[in-house]
Amino acid sequence: MAFPSGHNPRSGFAAGQLRDGQSIGTFTVTNYVPSGQSSAITVLYDVRVRYYQNTLIAVVGLLKQSDNSVVEAYMVKQAQYLLNVANAVGSTAVPTLRDLATLVASLSKLQSLNIPDNGNVPTQPSDLPIPFQQDADGYVKAYVDPSEVNQKILETLTSNVTGSTTTTTGTSSTAKTTTQKVLIGVGIAAAVILAVVLIAKIPVKKKK
């Protein structure tokens, strides 16, 4: 497992839940000609994620690769912008950016939040956890709490045994009864298997 070509992990990267204002890494673009200049340089698109009004928003800044100085200030960018960057990165098209473009706010969504494209999010980054995570390959996706994974396993087992579902609280009588049904069902299945094994071992007397 590794980051796609052209996508560099942030310093101290560790897969897990993202925080408001956190960078998901930089994307290398060669032959970039800054506004007002004639010579090309290599730049890093530093993509950060903001969470505002229940919406994931991309904030992008351009850094000069040689010294990490700011070439273009960090600004809010619409989803289409990420696709344009993906195309500029190279032949790999950086699938990370393409996937992220499906999650972050489009131009119309930004407008509905009264946030101008190339503007700023009204609030400062809180650094608090947001409902998105980044995996070991650098991809961003919806965050799934480990307890919810365990609940899904229980629901699947419950459905297979009883044909019904359980609640997520685990405190209601319905959830408790359903859980008991699961355990009883598993116990009965084990008992039946044991009985079959024991019956198979009982010697049968042959008639003379």
Side-chain angles (χ1 to χ4, degrees):
M1 299 196 305
F3 275 45
S5 176
H7 183 188
N8 311 296
R10 65 179 182 274
S11 176
F13 170 77
Q17 188 171 9
L18 289 166
R19 292 176 174 273
D20 181 37
Q22 191 171 45
S23 170
I24 67 163
T26 59
F27 299 83
T28 304
V29 175
T30 58
N31 298 319
Y32 177 84
V33 180
S35 177
Q37 297 186 25
S38 57
S39 58
I41 61 173
T42 297
V43 295
L44 303 175
Y45 282 75
D46 183 19
V47 180
R48 299 180 180 181
V49 288
R50 292 296 316 277
Y51 194 65
Y52 176 75
Q53 297 291 322
N54 299 318
T55 303
L56 187 67
I57 298 171
V59 175
V60 184
L62 268 68
L63 310 176
K64 191 175 181 179
Q65 187 189 48
S66 59
D67 58 8
N68 280 343
S69 59
V70 177
V71 177
E72 289 185 17
Y74 288 88
M75 295 289 182
V76 169
K77 300 295 183 181
Q78 59 171 299
Q80 182 60 46
Y81 179 88
L82 298 182
L83 297 179
N84 295 339
V85 175
N87 291 331
V89 169
S91 58
T92 58
V94 187
T96 310
L97 286 172
R98 293 189 175 280
D99 286 353
L100 184 61
T102 66
L103 299 174
V104 300
S106 62
L107 178 59
S108 60
K109 180 62 178 179
L110 289 175
Q111 290 172 339
S112 71
L113 296 173
N114 293 317
I115 298 176
D117 189 29
N118 295 316
N120 296 294
V121 177
T123 60
Q124 291 297 314
S126 67
D127 197 41
L128 294 174
I130 61 176
F132 292 89
Q133 61 186 341
Q134 188 174 22
D135 65 20
D137 294 324
Y139 294 92
V140 175
K141 55 188 177 182
Y143 175 72
V144 179
D145 189 285
S147 63
E148 294 181 9
V149 175
N150 294 335
Q151 179 63 30
K152 269 301 183 197
I153 294 173
L154 176 60
E155 289 177 356
T156 301
L157 181 59
T158 300
S159 178
N160 290 341
V161 174
T162 68
S164 59
T165 59
T166 185
T167 64
T168 56
T169 60
T171 56
S172 68
S173 59
T174 302
K176 185 177 180 182
T177 302
T178 306
T179 303
Q180 289 174 339
K181 287 180 181 179
V182 172
L183 297 177
I184 292 171
V186 172
I188 292 174
V192 170
I193 293 173
L194 179 61
V196 171
V197 172
L198 292 175
I199 291 173
K201 291 185 175 180
I202 297 176
V204 179
K205 293 182 179 181
K206 295 182 179 180
K207 291 183 179 180
K208 295 182 178 179

